[in-house]
Amino acid sequence: IGIALSMDACALTIANCTVCKKGLSLKKQWAMPISFALFQGVMPIIGYFIGSLFAKYLESIGGFLVAGVFYALSIKIVIDIIKDMKKYDLIVIGGGFAGVASAISASREGAYVLLVEKGNCLGGAATNSLVNPFMPNRTEINGEKTELSQGIFKEILQRLETLGALIWGESFLEEELKYILNEMLEENGVDLLYHAYVTKAIRIDDKIKSIIVATRAGEIELFADYFIDATGDAQLAFLSGCPTRLGREADGLCQPMTLCFRLTHVDWDR
């Protein structure tokens, strides 16, 4: 072992001296490899003799020594796991407009935020279900036409317009909208987790401690001080045991779904 280590140290040092020989004399270029080679060669021999002197003592405590090493490694593994286990100030479930606005607003106020989305993009029905255009939301205030949706929504519209992705002030291009929403979350320091479906909420008394999400890599437990349910169908509220209601109170009837579709290659002359 000593010979092998000695040869290895010598070869590596010669290689390093060859590459970085600027300012080194020829004498130093050879002295360094020989010094390292001797050091690496002698150390195993010294270790062998020291080990021989303490062999009987080590035999008596060998079992305890091995157990101690494994115990220390186990503690280190647990500590590393705890360090890697992030705890957020806020976790937002759902990446539609409500979820995006909630995550950005909280992050701008200094919160450490994670947004969990079951799909592969943000925007909800607008980007996944062809729900287009943005419905008019203006009214008259003191005789002036005023848009009711301001703030973050206005920022989104401005970015769409800059990219040429806003048509007639209301219709939009979905792919550009996906890009803009993702970009805005990244700019505001929000962590994103796509392809993650919430399956369980873990409570302590009346407070949600963590949630379990199913991902391609398996189930993950996520921790936060606060959670926002922006799923659109009260999924987190339902999993947390909160009272929910489907449809109208009388008979549970829901609003009929709108079928959105798109036509191409239309012959307008005909």
Side-chain angles (χ1 to χ4, degrees):
I1 293 172
I3 294 170
L5 289 172
S6 179
M7 293 175 64
D8 181 59
C10 185
L12 284 173
T13 311
I14 290 172
N16 284 330
C17 287
T18 303
V19 175
C20 308
K21 61 184 180 181
K22 186 177 180 181
L24 291 176
S25 65
L26 186 62
K27 184 179 178 181
K28 286 185 178 180
Q29 289 181 41
W30 281 105
M32 289 175 65
I34 293 170
S35 300
F36 280 119
L38 288 172
F39 176 78
Q40 289 283 50
V42 170
M43 287 306 295
I45 298 171
I46 294 173
Y48 172 77
F49 284 111
I50 292 174
S52 299
L53 291 173
F54 292 96
K56 290 185 179 179
Y57 176 71
L58 290 173
E59 283 179 6
S60 63
I61 64 167
F64 296 103
L65 190 62
V66 172
V69 170
F70 276 105
Y71 185 67
L73 287 172
S74 300
I75 293 174
K76 184 180 183 303
I77 290 170
V78 171
I79 292 172
D80 288 343
I81 290 172
I82 292 171
K83 284 182 179 178
D84 290 338
M85 189 171 61
K86 292 182 178 180
K87 183 177 181 182
Y88 292 90
D89 296 319
L90 171 70
I91 293 179
V92 180
I93 318 298
F97 280 93
V100 167
S102 299
I104 292 174
S105 298
S107 185
R108 287 178 178 177
E109 292 299 318
Y112 183 31
V113 184
L114 169 69
L115 188 145
V116 177
E117 166 57 37
K118 67 180 180 180
N120 65 351
C121 65
L122 303 170
T127 53
N128 288 295
S129 307
L130 297 178
V131 178
N132 202 335
F134 297 127
M135 293 295 103
N137 59 91
R138 65 184 67 90
T139 188
E140 281 196 16
I141 299 178
N142 297 325
E144 292 185 6
K145 288 184 178 179
T146 305
E147 298 289 338
L148 297 176
S149 296
Q150 298 282 339
I152 292 173
F153 182 68
K154 189 173 182 180
E155 291 179 35
I156 295 169
L157 291 179
Q158 289 170 345
R159 292 190 182 218
L160 283 168
E161 193 168 13
T162 300
L163 288 179
L166 190 64
I167 305 162
W168 304 315
E170 293 171 351
S171 296
F172 55 89
L173 302 179
E174 300 89 2
E175 296 304 315
E176 281 75 2
L177 179 58
K178 292 178 187 178
Y179 169 78
I180 287 169
L181 297 178
N182 199 95
E183 182 182 55
M184 289 179 72
L185 287 188
E186 287 187 353
E187 288 175 358
N188 286 276
V190 177
D191 285 354
L192 273 167
L193 180 60
Y194 287 121
H195 299 292
Y197 193 86
V198 182
T199 59
K200 187 176 182 181
I202 299 171
R203 289 179 12 181
I204 295 180
D205 298 325
D206 290 331
K207 182 176 175 61
I208 300 175
K209 178 187 75 120
S210 63
I211 57 171
I212 304 294
V213 297
T215 72
R216 297 287 180 89
E219 290 189 332
I220 302 174
E221 187 172 7
L222 301 170
F223 299 82
D225 293 323
Y226 298 95
F227 296 83
I228 290 179
D229 187 340
T231 59
D233 54 9
Q235 185 179 6
L236 181 60
F238 176 78
L239 292 172
S240 303
C242 297
T244 56
R245 189 182 75 218
L246 177 65
R248 63 188 182 191
E249 242 177 312
D251 54 8
L253 188 66
C254 297
Q255 178 181 340
M257 300 300 290
T258 300
L259 176 62
C260 300
F261 60 94
R262 182 170 292 161
L263 296 176
T264 60
H265 301 293
V266 176
D267 188 342
W268 291 101
D269 294 334
R270 294 178 59 188

